[in-house]
Amino acid sequence: MKSNSVTVGLGVLGAVFIIVAVLYAVGVLQIFTSTTSGPHYKHAVLFAVLAVASFVAASFARPKTA
Amino acid sequence: MGLLQGASELFPISSLGHAVLVPSLLHWSFKQSDPSFVPFLVLLHLGTATALLVLYRDQWVAIVRGFFTAAIRGTMKTDSERLAMLLLVGTIPAAVLGVFLETRIKTLFASPYVAAGFLVANGFLMLGFEALRRRRERGASRAEQESHFADAERISFRAAALVGACQALAFLPGISRSGVTIGGGLLAGLRHQEAARFSFLLATPVILGAGILEIPQLFTGGVPLGEYVLSAVLSGIAAYASARFLLRYFRSGRLDPYGLYCIGAGLISLALLHFGL
């Protein structure tokens, strides 16, 4: 049960990171950036990597069948 | 500059510190504020990253394969799979700090005086890492020491994250990325050669990623692409030779000579800058 909730939590976190990555890539999100307009590909890639890491962690946390 | 960057990127002597100091000391004409300087650095970094990929090509194939296998399966069964996950964990802190802090830190500290000061600090860091390692090994026989050493694949995930976070210190000009990661690896229980291997593997995605993201800047006007590509090739050759040398050196060599070099070079640079020579 605990593993299931951790897995879901990490999956949701990964989805949030993907949304943030897309928002940075299209230039909608400007938080913590050095310029105030345009796309921020470095930030987008970072959040894409964080999303991948979250999904990997979710995969590790999911209950395994024997 | 290509040769200097390629060689100093992997030696624990700070490439950024040297990139700030050497042109200033030799009165070279180009300025780091010049719009063509960033594309120049980008290509040099791509040269270095390519050299590291070539050097570890077999391991990278195994690491990438191991990453996908372990990620889909949800467990790690082989050393390559564990190493892939360690590199992911080690890369994230540096990437987060790099994206949010690198530009601010580099802007704040991009002065030859500061670079020389941090180069001295880097020297003391290297000596400190070795002193801590020696203190831990004091009293143990050679065989006992060897039994305590781990391969890069066997360090803990917490240690990998800490070693990765150490990379952020290298945004300070004068602090060496490879130096702090090799030092961090030593404190995590790796022998020198393994610490160097882990440091080089950890550096590759960060250097490559940063380089690829800046590629569009190469196509802005006024960039002498031919000369820059030649510099990148030289940088790659120097980086490849440096990595081969260092892996051989660290079979028995230590960080101390580089620490002493950094302290000496930093102090001499400070004196030269102060007296305007």
Side-chain angles (χ1 to χ4, degrees), chain B residues 37-102:
Chain B
F37 186 73
V38 172
F40 180 60
L41 270 189
V42 169
L43 271 175
L44 296 189
H45 281 138
L46 287 176
T48 307
T50 306
L52 286 173
L53 280 175
V54 170
L55 181 66
Y56 289 116
R57 57 191 175 280
D58 295 336
Q59 287 185 42
W60 274 112
V61 169
I63 287 166
V64 171
R65 191 179 292 150
F67 174 80
F68 285 108
T69 308
I72 292 165
R73 191 199 300 129
T75 53
M76 296 170 291
K77 289 187 176 171
T78 66
D79 280 352
S80 295
E81 291 171 8
R82 185 173 166 82
L83 184 58
M85 294 306 156
L86 286 169
L87 291 174
L88 176 67
V89 168
T91 300
I92 286 173
V96 171
L97 294 168
V99 166
F100 290 115
L101 297 178
E102 184 179 12

Side-chain angles (χ1 to χ4, degrees), chain A residues 24 31-34 41-47 49-50 52-53 55-56 59-62 64, chain B residues 67 70-76 85 88 91-92 95-96 98-100 102-104 210 213-214:
Chain A
Y24 270 122
I31 305 165
F32 300 119
T33 58
S34 52
Y41 295 117
K42 270 189 188 175
H43 292 66
V45 170
L46 170 66
F47 280 96
V49 170
L50 290 175
V52 170
F55 290 133
V56 170
S59 173
F60 276 86
R62 77 174 191 267
K64 309 285 187 305
Chain B
F67 174 80
I72 292 165
R73 191 199 300 129
T75 53
M76 296 170 291
M85 294 306 156
L88 176 67
T91 300
I92 286 173
V96 171
V99 166
F100 290 115
E102 184 179 12
T103 309
R104 290 182 183 86
L213 283 169
E214 301 285 358

Side-chain angles (χ1 to χ4, degrees), chain B residues 127-207:
Chain B
L127 297 180
F129 282 133
E130 286 292 352
L132 285 171
R133 181 192 60 80
R134 284 195 192 97
R135 193 170 70 176
R136 201 180 50 194
E137 291 172 7
R138 196 172 295 151
S141 68
R142 183 76 184 170
E144 284 172 329
Q145 287 175 19
E146 284 294 325
S147 70
H148 288 143
F149 283 134
D151 289 335
E153 288 83 354
R154 300 259 65 89
I155 64 170
S156 69
F157 281 92
R158 181 180 293 182
L162 280 174
V163 173
C166 282
Q167 289 192 94
L169 283 173
F171 300 144
L172 299 167
I175 302 294
S176 162
R177 181 205 311 271
S178 60
V180 290
T181 49
I182 291 171
L186 292 179
L187 298 185
L190 298 178
R191 60 172 69 82
H192 285 79
Q193 200 178 19
E194 277 295 291
R197 182 171 76 97
F198 189 64
S199 164
F200 297 161
L201 289 172
L202 201 54
T204 308
V206 175
I207 297 173

Side-chain angles (χ1 to χ4, degrees), chain B residues 6 29 47 66 84 137 153 158 164 185 209 218 228 242 255 263 277:
Chain B
S29 58
E137 291 172 7
E153 288 83 354
R158 181 180 293 182
L218 292 173
Y228 282 12
S242 304
L255 285 172
I263 292 170
L277 298 172

Side-chain angles (χ1 to χ4, degrees), chain A residues 9-37:
Chain A
L10 288 167
V12 170
L13 188 65
V16 171
F17 282 145
I18 284 183
I19 293 167
V20 174
V22 171
L23 292 177
Y24 270 122
V26 297
V28 172
L29 210 54
Q30 302 291 337
I31 305 165
F32 300 119
T33 58
S34 52
T35 56
T36 52
S37 64

